[in-house]
PDB file of all heavy atoms in Angstrom:
ATOM      1  N   LEU A  30     118.316 103.388  98.718  1.00 97.00           N
ATOM      2  CA  LEU A  30     118.137 102.716  97.433  1.00 97.00           C
ATOM      3  C   LEU A  30     119.434 102.121  96.884  1.00 97.00           C
ATOM      4  O   LEU A  30     119.444 100.964  96.448  1.00 97.00           O
ATOM      5  CB  LEU A  30     117.515 103.670  96.417  1.00 97.00           C
ATOM      6  CG  LEU A  30     117.107 103.073  95.077  1.00 97.00           C
ATOM      7  CD1 LEU A  30     116.119 101.918  95.265  1.00 97.00           C
ATOM      8  CD2 LEU A  30     116.510 104.137  94.178  1.00 97.00           C
ATOM      9  N   GLN A  31     120.509 102.874  96.904  1.00 97.00           N
ATOM     10  CA  GLN A  31     121.757 102.354  96.335  1.00 97.00           C
ATOM     11  C   GLN A  31     122.303 101.185  97.147  1.00 97.00           C
ATOM     12  O   GLN A  31     122.800 100.211  96.572  1.00 97.00           O
ATOM     13  CB  GLN A  31     122.800 103.475  96.212  1.00 97.00           C
ATOM     14  CG  GLN A  31     122.446 104.500  95.142  1.00 97.00           C
ATOM     15  CD  GLN A  31     122.067 103.873  93.801  1.00 97.00           C
ATOM     16  OE1 GLN A  31     122.737 102.976  93.293  1.00 97.00           O
ATOM     17  NE2 GLN A  31     120.973 104.343  93.211  1.00 97.00           N
ATOM     18  N   ALA A  34     120.106  98.202  96.289  1.00 97.00           N
ATOM     19  CA  ALA A  34     120.427  97.696  94.944  1.00 97.00           C
ATOM     20  C   ALA A  34     121.752  96.942  94.952  1.00 97.00           C
ATOM     21  O   ALA A  34     121.864  95.863  94.350  1.00 97.00           O
ATOM     22  CB  ALA A  34     120.456  98.846  93.938  1.00 97.00           C
ATOM     23  N   VAL A  51     119.137  92.597  86.843  1.00 97.00           N
ATOM     24  CA  VAL A  51     119.018  92.540  88.304  1.00 97.00           C
ATOM     25  C   VAL A  51     119.091  93.951  88.872  1.00 97.00           C
ATOM     26  O   VAL A  51     118.301  94.324  89.751  1.00 97.00           O
ATOM     27  CB  VAL A  51     120.113  91.642  88.923  1.00 97.00           C
ATOM     28  CG1 VAL A  51     120.099  91.733  90.446  1.00 97.00           C
ATOM     29  CG2 VAL A  51     119.949  90.197  88.470  1.00 97.00           C
ATOM     30  N   HIS A  52     120.006  94.757  88.357  1.00 97.00           N
ATOM     31  CA  HIS A  52     120.139  96.135  88.847  1.00 97.00           C
ATOM     32  C   HIS A  52     118.873  96.937  88.566  1.00 97.00           C
ATOM     33  O   HIS A  52     118.360  97.648  89.445  1.00 97.00           O
ATOM     34  CB  HIS A  52     121.358  96.824  88.225  1.00 97.00           C
ATOM     35  CG  HIS A  52     121.558  98.198  88.759  1.00 97.00           C
ATOM     36  ND1 HIS A  52     121.112  99.325  88.107  1.00 97.00           N
ATOM     37  CD2 HIS A  52     122.136  98.632  89.913  1.00 97.00           C
ATOM     38  CE1 HIS A  52     121.398 100.390  88.831  1.00 97.00           C
ATOM     39  NE2 HIS A  52     122.020  99.997  89.926  1.00 97.00           N
ATOM     40  N   LEU A  53     118.357  96.843  87.344  1.00 97.00           N
ATOM     41  CA  LEU A  53     117.126  97.561  86.991  1.00 97.00           C
ATOM     42  C   LEU A  53     115.983  97.148  87.907  1.00 97.00           C
ATOM     43  O   LEU A  53     115.244  97.994  88.424  1.00 97.00           O
ATOM     44  CB  LEU A  53     116.764  97.312  85.528  1.00 97.00           C
ATOM     45  CG  LEU A  53     115.459  97.965  85.049  1.00 97.00           C
ATOM     46  CD1 LEU A  53     115.555  99.486  85.149  1.00 97.00           C
ATOM     47  CD2 LEU A  53     115.157  97.537  83.621  1.00 97.00           C
ATOM     48  N   PHE A  54     115.829  95.849  88.125  1.00 97.00           N
ATOM     49  CA  PHE A  54     114.763  95.370  88.993  1.00 97.00           C
ATOM     50  C   PHE A  54     114.961  95.863  90.424  1.00 97.00           C
ATOM     51  O   PHE A  54     114.005  96.278  91.078  1.00 97.00           O
ATOM     52  CB  PHE A  54     114.669  93.834  88.967  1.00 97.00           C
ATOM     53  CG  PHE A  54     113.503  93.304  89.731  1.00 97.00           C
ATOM     54  CD1 PHE A  54     112.221  93.368  89.212  1.00 97.00           C
ATOM     55  CD2 PHE A  54     113.682  92.743  90.994  1.00 97.00           C
ATOM     56  CE1 PHE A  54     111.128  92.884  89.932  1.00 97.00           C
ATOM     57  CE2 PHE A  54     112.602  92.259  91.717  1.00 97.00           C
ATOM     58  CZ  PHE A  54     111.324  92.335  91.186  1.00 97.00           C
ATOM     59  N   SER A  55     116.194  95.839  90.896  1.00 97.00           N
ATOM     60  CA  SER A  55     116.455  96.216  92.291  1.00 97.00           C
ATOM     61  C   SER A  55     116.205  97.696  92.561  1.00 97.00           C
ATOM     62  O   SER A  55     115.829  98.061  93.670  1.00 97.00           O
ATOM     63  CB  SER A  55     117.871  95.819  92.707  1.00 97.00           C
ATOM     64  OG  SER A  55     118.832  96.569  92.021  1.00 97.00           O
ATOM     65  N   VAL A  56     116.395  98.546  91.574  1.00 97.00           N
ATOM     66  CA  VAL A  56     116.098  99.968  91.787  1.00 97.00           C
ATOM     67  C   VAL A  56     114.632 100.299  91.521  1.00 97.00           C
ATOM     68  O   VAL A  56     114.138 101.335  91.954  1.00 97.00           O
ATOM     69  CB  VAL A  56     117.029 100.909  90.970  1.00 97.00           C
ATOM     70  CG1 VAL A  56     118.464 100.768  91.417  1.00 97.00           C
ATOM     71  CG2 VAL A  56     116.880 100.699  89.482  1.00 97.00           C
ATOM     72  N   THR A  57     113.938  99.411  90.826  1.00 98.00           N
ATOM     73  CA  THR A  57     112.518  99.598  90.551  1.00 98.00           C
ATOM     74  C   THR A  57     111.642  99.018  91.658  1.00 98.00           C
ATOM     75  O   THR A  57     110.589  99.569  91.990  1.00 98.00           O
ATOM     76  CB  THR A  57     112.148  98.937  89.195  1.00 98.00           C
ATOM     77  OG1 THR A  57     113.018  99.455  88.185  1.00 98.00           O
ATOM     78  CG2 THR A  57     110.712  99.214  88.811  1.00 98.00           C
ATOM     79  N   LEU A  58     112.081  97.901  92.236  1.00 98.00           N
ATOM     80  CA  LEU A  58     111.290  97.172  93.234  1.00 98.00           C
ATOM     81  C   LEU A  58     110.765  98.047  94.368  1.00 98.00           C
ATOM     82  O   LEU A  58     109.566  98.000  94.662  1.00 98.00           O
ATOM     83  CB  LEU A  58     112.090  95.985  93.780  1.00 98.00           C
ATOM     84  CG  LEU A  58     111.426  95.154  94.883  1.00 98.00           C
ATOM     85  CD1 LEU A  58     110.125  94.534  94.380  1.00 98.00           C
ATOM     86  CD2 LEU A  58     112.394  94.080  95.372  1.00 98.00           C
ATOM     87  N   PRO A  59     111.587  98.870  95.017  1.00 98.00           N
ATOM     88  CA  PRO A  59     111.053  99.669  96.126  1.00 98.00           C
ATOM     89  C   PRO A  59     109.936 100.629  95.700  1.00 98.00           C
ATOM     90  O   PRO A  59     108.983 100.850  96.458  1.00 98.00           O
ATOM     91  CB  PRO A  59     112.274 100.443  96.630  1.00 98.00           C
ATOM     92  CG  PRO A  59     113.438  99.604  96.229  1.00 98.00           C
ATOM     93  CD  PRO A  59     113.042  99.004  94.909  1.00 98.00           C
ATOM     94  N   PHE A  60     110.024 101.179  94.494  1.00 98.00           N
ATOM     95  CA  PHE A  60     108.972 102.071  93.999  1.00 98.00           C
ATOM     96  C   PHE A  60     107.668 101.290  93.778  1.00 98.00           C
ATOM     97  O   PHE A  60     106.582 101.783  94.096  1.00 98.00           O
ATOM     98  CB  PHE A  60     109.409 102.759  92.702  1.00 98.00           C
ATOM     99  CG  PHE A  60     110.518 103.752  92.893  1.00 98.00           C
ATOM    100  CD1 PHE A  60     111.828 103.383  92.641  1.00 98.00           C
ATOM    101  CD2 PHE A  60     110.259 105.040  93.334  1.00 98.00           C
ATOM    102  CE1 PHE A  60     112.862 104.297  92.818  1.00 98.00           C
ATOM    103  CE2 PHE A  60     111.289 105.962  93.518  1.00 98.00           C
ATOM    104  CZ  PHE A  60     112.594 105.579  93.264  1.00 98.00           C
TER     105      PHE A  60
END
Side-chain angles (χ1 to χ4, degrees):
L30 187 57
Q31 290 311 313
V51 172
H52 183 263
L53 178 62
F54 186 76
S55 67
V56 296
T57 306
L58 177 61
F60 291 98

